[in-house]
Amino acid sequence: MMEGMRDVSDMQRWPELRALGLLVALAGGAGSIGQAAEAVGLAQPNASRSLSNLERDLKVPLLKRSPRGTELTAEGQAVAEWAAQVIDAYSALNAGTRAIQEARAGTVRVCASLTVAEYLLPGYLATFTSAHPGVDVGLGVENSAAVVAEVRAQRCDLGLVESVSLPAGFPTAVIGRDRLLIAAAPTFPGRWTEPLSAEALAATPLLVREVGSGTREAIDTALAEFGGASVAGEYRSNSALKVAAATGVAPVVLSELALRDDVLSNRLVPLPVDDSLDLDRLLHALWSPKRRLSAGARALLEHMTSARG
């Protein structure tokens, strides 16, 4: 037998995958076979039959049935833990084959936070696609928290975020640097001329991005000692924030990348803050530790990291 070869001689006795999924769903908190069936996309009669067949094939009592519902036996709990490993392995198999298909097709799926997608990624993609004409890049735009969720669910190859904090255990690479600016309309009555301390800035109502965005996390982190940013208005759109700030209602907090054109045209004016207030941040790419990057995704990552200066 070849090294590493598995014994597949008893494949006909292997449990049905959906039956294992039902067991995992029951262990995960489904209160009835009906709920477990819904979780794996089975009709309840078929689910009950699958579980009965699983008990018969494994020759192990898996379920305790009572008027209150269906629970796992102690043996069923143990089998469910092993079943969860099988489900994870099968998910890895599917994700891996999808990655191979996409690599063969030259497709890279990228999910980027709004600031990165609007102001940083277009330049990277323009030079990347000219150097790699056979690689197609699909782009989704979300806030940083949603990007991390997409990466965690393996629905994209690379996530590009501006978050201060990054999920533990995920490989990352720096793709750029950024700084937050506080800016206001030239006519804003509360414009200050002396640099503001973190405490004074925390007491100033600001126009900010929504919770979950990297920009909001960065300003809240910088002002954490004083309870985070005071909110005059909250928007999911950089453009909406700049329009609101231009009316003079309140200063806005955004990336200097997002505010560059508005500052150059004097539509908005940067306001001074104390040097002790750290508004710098790194922009990161991250990807799932559960899958290998395709050749196209690796090429795009290398391109961004080498061009980030």
Side-chain angles (χ1 to χ4, degrees):
M1 183 177 292
M2 293 176 58
E3 184 180 354
M5 180 73 74
R6 268 56 172 181
D7 183 5
V8 296
S9 59
D10 61 346
M11 282 180 60
Q12 291 183 342
R13 296 177 52 245
W14 287 3
E16 178 194 356
L17 190 65
R18 279 190 169 176
L20 297 181
L22 288 166
L23 209 60
V24 171
L26 286 168
S32 66
I33 292 178
Q35 290 179 349
E38 185 176 353
V40 301
L42 274 178
Q44 181 169 344
N46 293 338
S48 298
R49 186 161 48 251
S50 290
L51 287 169
S52 295
N53 291 340
L54 184 63
E55 282 189 304
R56 183 196 64 210
D57 294 341
L58 296 180
K59 299 180 175 60
V60 172
L62 303 174
L63 306 174
K64 292 186 294 186
R65 297 173 177 84
S66 72
R68 294 175 300 175
T70 302
E71 299 177 356
L72 294 180
T73 62
E75 297 89 341
Q77 289 283 356
V79 174
E81 290 182 13
W82 297 321
Q85 297 176 32
V86 175
I87 299 296
D88 287 345
Y90 189 77
S91 297
L93 169 66
N94 274 338
T97 53
R98 283 198 306 271
I100 292 172
Q101 292 165 3
E102 288 162 3
R104 288 171 63 88
T107 299
V108 179
R109 294 173 302 171
V110 175
C111 193
S113 62
L114 187 58
T115 299
V116 175
E118 285 186 329
Y119 303 104
L120 189 69
L121 193 56
Y124 284 158
L125 292 183
T127 51
F128 176 77
T129 53
S130 65
H132 300 81
V135 180
D136 293 325
V137 179
L139 176 63
V141 181
E142 304 281 356
N143 68 27
S144 290
V147 170
V148 171
E150 290 293 295
V151 172
R152 196 182 297 277
Q154 300 184 54
R155 288 191 287 265
C156 64
D157 299 296
L158 290 172
L160 310 180
V161 297
E162 57 210 80
S163 302
V164 175
S165 59
L166 296 168
F170 281 64
T172 65
V174 176
I175 60 165
R177 296 177 182 273
D178 186 27
R179 178 175 173 82
L180 296 184
L181 288 184
I182 317 298
T187 57
F188 178 60
R191 270 182 59 195
W192 56 86
T193 56
E194 294 298 320
L196 241 65
S197 66
E199 184 176 8
L201 184 60
T204 303
L206 300 170
L207 296 168
V208 293
R209 285 286 305 278
E210 79 285 0
V211 173
S213 77
T215 298
R216 177 64 175 275
E217 182 191 9
I219 189 63
D220 281 344
T221 299
L223 302 177
E225 183 181 354
F226 306 101
S230 176
V231 178
E234 182 179 287
Y235 298 84
R236 295 183 62 86
S237 161
N238 290 348
S239 297
L241 279 170
K242 291 189 287 185
V243 169
T247 66
V249 63
V252 64
V253 183
L254 278 176
S255 160
E256 64 180 359
L257 295 170
L259 290 171
R260 181 171 48 204
D261 291 343
D262 298 86
V263 169
L264 288 174
S265 65
N266 204 43
R267 189 165 176 253
L268 295 172
V269 179
L271 301 178
V273 295
D274 193 85
D275 290 340
S276 64
L277 184 57
D278 184 11
L279 296 179
D280 292 329
R281 60 181 176 173
L282 297 176
L283 308 176
H284 289 88
L286 70 154
W287 56 99
S288 172
K290 295 182 179 180
R291 63 184 294 176
R292 181 180 298 176
L293 287 178
S294 68
R298 282 199 307 275
L300 177 57
L301 179 64
E302 289 168 3
H303 180 80
M304 291 188 294
T305 55
S306 63
R308 68 174 184 261

